[in-house]
Amino acid sequence: RRAAKRPGELLCADCAAVLVADRAGHLCPECHGVWVKESALNAILARKGKAPREWTAERGLVPAFCPECGAELAAGRLVGEDFAVFRCAPCSGLWLGGTEAVSFQLRVLS
């Protein structure tokens, strides 16, 4: 069940805490998840001289809800990675839980 949100608030896909804006996206102060637009992610990768990462759908993962619109997120992964990345097609955003966000930092951004 999703918590009620105020206009303009983004809620964590995992724990429903209010997300805090960051340079590239939004962070959860409670569980350390990250919400980022696909365009912002690709801009970060480009600045680091890295190729854009393609997201691919996958079955069997527990669904989560979009921090922006509340729609169910599609479960998947970035091609070549083994950690879960959830995607909202209407919002063009990606959700990484706290553990996945650390994996993303270490494996993709570094």
Side-chain angles (χ1 to χ4, degrees):
R1 185 177 147 131
R2 299 290 293 164
K5 70 178 192 173
R6 295 184 182 118
E9 274 186 341
L10 301 181
L11 300 180
C12 176
D14 289 334
C15 71
V18 175
L19 299 181
V20 177
D22 186 60
R23 287 174 289 180
H26 291 81
L27 306 174
C28 178
E30 300 295 323
C31 70
H32 309 289
V34 175
W35 173 249
V36 64
K37 294 290 191 169
E38 289 178 284
S39 59
L41 171 63
N42 287 330
I44 292 167
L45 291 172
R47 281 193 302 272
K48 293 185 167 285
K50 296 179 180 265
R53 299 302 296 267
E54 183 180 344
W55 179 87
T56 184
E58 187 172 278
R59 294 185 182 172
L61 297 174
V62 177
F65 297 95
C66 176
E68 287 188 45
C69 71
E72 189 171 323
L73 297 174
R77 301 192 185 280
L78 296 176
V79 173
E81 300 298 337
D82 64 354
F83 53 86
V85 177
F86 298 96
R87 182 175 185 270
C88 180
C91 292
S92 298
L94 301 171
W95 174 257
L96 293 96
T99 303
E100 290 79 10
V102 170
S103 294
F104 179 79
Q105 279 287 118
L106 294 173
R107 296 181 191 174
V108 179
L109 293 181
S110 60

